[in-house]
Every structure is written in structure tokens, then in C-alpha cells.
Amino acid sequence: MRCIINIIVLLLLFSACHFAQEITLPSNPLDGRIVFEEKGCIYCHSVSGYGGTVGPDLGRNQYYGSFLQLASIIWNHIPEMDRKYREKKIPRPNFTQDEMLNLIGFLYYLRYLGEPGSVANGKKLLDSKGCLNCHNISGKGGIVGPDFNKMQQFASPLYIVQAMWNHGPAMQEEIKKYNLKYPTLIGQDIVDISAYIQQATQGNTEIRMSPGNPVKGKQVFQNKNCQKCHSVSGENRKLGPSLSEINLKMSVTEIAGIMWNHSPDMIEYMKKQSLKWPQFQGNEMADLIAYLYFLGFEDEPGNLIEGESVFIDKGCASCHEEGGKGIGPDLRKMKRFGNPIKLTQLMWNHAPQMEDLLLAQNEEWPQLTAKQMQNLYKYLKSVNQKK
Ligand code: HEC
Ligand code: HEC
Ligand code: HEC
Ligand code: HEC
């Protein structure tokens, strides 16, 4: 009987843990750029062309992963980075918990910022997507929609997306009326179109939208009724898909494209539910998309049993022995692993001692895959809670 109760308690614990928010969202993910420079990552890495060339340019279109996936990349790097610090006679920096969060938030964000657009391709797209059936640019095109040359305010792709979205239902009526195909926008389409419109307009007002604040975006998500039809965790199915389950690990304008492509369906669903088509002002669209992008920041929960194996196989257990008999403290007793940021920070800060000890024993640096990192965290967090 007791055993059954224990199992039930355990199950409850696991299901409750599953969606607990352990990581606070950064309100300006670009803050981490400062950490990236100050902590010397910039000696070896560039971000979109600026910085060192020993390691790869991190600004290219690549998604590096969730929080602990990124933590594992940094961990595996430590010996090589430490060599660089010594070589350059730079003191090895420590991270505070906030700095660690900002650094990893910044790396997570790189994919989101995307690449600059191509004017030539944008010109082709306006034609091939049928925009010129209704809009005019440089004397070519229709007169149903506003003349792109007369736009005073086009600057960023995000601004265009927001304007398109706000006019979405009206545009759709016209599209139906003229029996045209609804233009879908994928990949770099929006960035290219906006690059072309931008250089073709006579307007010189620069309306720049900041790349977005995920914390504010969470608010926008609620205020604009998105949560009426979408959940953001795997649970409780609503009318629309759960947004944490679809792949949004792409640039801001690609995500905007996905929303745009679904807007005809969404317009219909919203009509049925008597919801007003949401209008976005100021930086709201950018904030909303930043929030959607950050839905993948937090890791899927790891596996406890496998985490224990990692702890043993990677040699942690041999220094961090039970009862504090080893060289290092007994990690099972420390009650310090309430969130993954803390674990990552402590592991970074303790790495030099560990490196010295391993060198003395002629042992290799234990590499950790993302999965192993997630499992290790799960294990340490769980044993900490039990004590
Ligand atoms: C001593 C030079 C050096 C320093 C300093 C350094 N890195 Fe690296 N980094 C590399 C090299 C080289 C690679 C290529 C992969 C490898 O062989 O480890 C890399 C790979 C990476 C990758 C994966 C890139 C990819 O496309 O596969 C990330 C992310 C990364 N580093 C982040 C960081 C961060 C964050 C810092 C600062 C805390 C940092 N690096 C500091 C040299 C460095
Ligand atoms: C069937 C006609 C039609 C097509 C095709 C069309 N639009 Fe529009 N568009 C309109 C109309 C009409 C409006 C103004 C709606 C309103 O007044 O609310 C508009 C508004 C806009 C706006 C907002 C302008 C402003 O005043 O802020 C943008 C941006 C825009 N369209 C971009 C595009 C792009 C890019 C394409 C192609 C991918 C496209 N449109 C295709 C008819 C169309
Ligand atoms: C009235 C219900 C409703 C509301 C309100 C709503 N959506 Fe949707 N949304 C849907 C439905 C239904 C789909 C799936 C449509 C389809 O299959 O094409 C969808 C699809 C999406 C998708 C694409 C998912 C995929 O599979 O690629 C995104 C992203 C999205 N919505 C975001 C939002 C955001 C952000 C808001 C708030 C501004 C919002 N939705 C408001 C019903 C809604
Ligand atoms: C060669 C011995 C050794 C190995 C192997 C080792 N550690 Fe450590 N670790 C230490 C020592 C010694 C300390 C305490 C010194 C210090 O504060 O830096 C420590 C401290 C720590 C701390 C900080 C504890 C605190 O509260 O400050 C963490 C977290 C940690 N280790 C995690 C790990 C993990 C995870 C592994 C396996 C991937 C590991 N260690 C492998 C020797 C080791």
C-alpha cells in the first residue's frame, strides 16, 4: 500500500514538474552581447562578421538549441577557452547567474535575428507573389491597395509584417473579390520584399522596431486573445495547435511568415468566435514573435535514471563522493540546483579546479552532450529535493 502511495506521489511530482517555468525570460536578449564580449568569447568568435576567427561565426543561420543544449556546448569548450585566457594573459572570468542567463539567452537569440535581405530577389517576389496585382511600385502594378512608393515609413521587415497583418482581413476581401491566390510567405521572402520596398520608397522616415522583448510579448499574447485558441505547453488542447509543439526555431520574419500564411484560416475561426481581428501597434508584433521564439528556450525535462549514469560515467561521482568523502563536495546534499542556470554557473566557475585535478590524474575533460546535460540536471535537482 505504502509503495502504491509513493508511486502516486512520485507521478504527481513528475507531472507537476513537467511544465514548471524554471527560467525567467530575458527582457532584452541583446544584453547578452555585452557578456559575450566581456567574457572573451569574441576573441575566437564573430557575430555576423565582427570578432575573432578561431571558431565559427555564430551569426550564421543556425539554431544552437535550448538552454542546457547551449550550456553543454560551453562546457565542452572550457579547456580550449581556458588555454586562450592563459595565452592572452586575460584573467579567467566568472559568471554571475544573471550573466550566464544573458549569455545563453543571447546565443539562443542569434538564429532569430536572421540575415539581411536581397533587393533583387524582393523585386522578383513582389511580382511572383501577386502583390503587384493590387499595389504599385515605381510605376508598375495595380491601384487596389496603397502605392508602395508613397509609403513614408517602411524601414524594418517587422514593420511591413505588422502593417500587412493589421490590413489582413481587408486584403483578403480584395483577394477573394478578384479571385486571386492568397500570397504565402516563407523563408527570406519578407526580408527580401522589405529590402526592395525600402530602397524604392521616397519616404525617409525611419521606423525601426526593436527585435522584441519576450517578457512584453507574453503580455501581448494574452491581450490579443491568442491564448483563447492556443496553449503554449503541450497540455490542454484548444482549437488551434499548441505553439510549443510546432517548430518556431527560425528567424523573426520566418515566424511572421508562418503566422501570415495561417491568417486566412485564423480570420475565419475568429469570425466564428466573434473575436475582433487583433491590431498591433508600436513594437507589439516584434514582442509577440520574440515570445513565441523563446517558447523553446527551456529544456524538455531530462531522465533521472540516465542522469545518475551520466554522473557516474563522466567521473563526477568519483570526486563528488557520497557523504563528502571525495575531493569535491557531496553534490547530492547541497540544495543548490533549483534551476538550470545555477547548475551551469557553478559548473563553469568550478571548472579550473576540476581541470587541474584531471590534468594531474592524466584524465580527459568529460564531454557532455545536450541530452546528458539535461539528464544530469534532472538527477541533481531530484536528489537535492529529496534530501
Ligand atoms: C579559444 C577560442 C575560443 C573561445 C575563447 C570560445 N570559443 Fe566557442 N568555439 C571555438 C572553436 C574552435 C569552435 C568550433 C567547434 C570546436 O571545435 O569546438 C567553437 C564552437 C562554438 C559554438 C558552436 C558553433 C558551431 O557552429 O558549431 C558555440 C555556440 C560557441 N563556440 C560558443 C562560445 C561561447 C559562448 C564562448 C564564450 C563563453 C566561446 N565559444 C569562446 C573556439 C572558442
Ligand atoms: C487583392 C489585392 C491585394 C494583394 C494581392 C495584396 N495586397 Fe496588400 N493591401 C491591399 C489592400 C486593399 C490594402 C489596404 C487595406 C486596408 O485599407 O485596410 C493593403 C495593404 C497592404 C499593406 C499595408 C500598407 C499600409 O498602409 O500600411 C502592406 C504592407 C501590404 N498590403 C503588402 C502586401 C504585400 C507584400 C503583398 C504581396 C505578398 C500584398 N500586399 C498583396 C490589397 C492587396
Ligand atoms: C479563434 C482562434 C484563434 C485565435 C484567436 C488565434 N489563432 Fe492562431 N491558429 C488558429 C488555428 C485554428 C490555427 C491552425 C490553422 C491552420 O491549420 O491553418 C492557427 C495557427 C496558428 C499558427 C501556425 C501554427 C502552425 O501549425 O504552423 C501560429 C504561429 C498562430 N496560429 C499564432 C497565433 C497568434 C500569435 C495569435 C494571437 C495574435 C493567434 N494565433 C490567435 C486559431 C486561432
Ligand atoms: C577531478 C575531480 C572532480 C571531477 C571529476 C568533478 N568535480 Fe565538480 N568539483 C570538484 C571540486 C574539488 C570542487 C570544489 C572546488 C570548487 O569549489 O571549485 C567541485 C565543485 C563542483 C560544483 C560546485 C559546487 C558548489 O556548490 O560550489 C559543481 C556544481 C560540480 N563540481 C559539478 C560537477 C559535475 C557535474 C561533474 C561531472 C561532469 C564534476 N563536478 C566532476 C572536483 C571534481
Side-chain angles (χ1 to χ4, degrees), residues 58 80 104 123 130 133 137 211 247 264 279 319 341 351 353 361:
L58 303 180
E80 206 183 324
I104 295 185
K123 189 174 178 186
N133 284 320
I137 192 160
N247 180 15
Q279 298 285 311
C319 287
I341 314 165
Q353 278 96 327
Q361 296 168 11

Side-chain angles (χ1 to χ4, degrees), residues 51 59 71 73 99 114 120 122 125 127 135 169 191 229 246 255 258 303 310 321 350 371:
I73 293 181
E99 286 167 342
L125 283 167
D127 205 1
H135 293 278
V191 189
C229 298
I246 61 170
I255 298 175
I258 289 186
N303 179 301
V310 174
E321 271 184 69
H350 110 285
K371 199 95 231 121

Side-chain angles (χ1 to χ4, degrees), residues 28-30 58-64 105-115 157-158 188 191 209-214 217 248-256 283-295:
N28 181 2
L30 292 176
L58 303 180
R60 300 264 153 72
N61 259 329
Q62 197 183 329
Y63 175 74
Y64 286 110
F106 171 65
L107 294 176
Y108 182 81
Y109 207 48
L110 291 172
R111 173 76 180 88
Y112 173 89
L113 297 172
E115 303 273 293
L158 270 173
Q188 286 283 95
V191 189
M209 289 169 66
S210 94
N213 173 340
L248 294 172
K249 299 171 176 75
M250 43 187 84
S251 70
V252 51
T253 46
E254 284 174 278
I255 298 175
N283 217 58
E284 284 179 338
M285 177 66 99
D287 293 340
L288 173 70
I289 297 179
Y291 169 65
L292 295 181
Y293 180 77
F294 265 89
L295 290 176

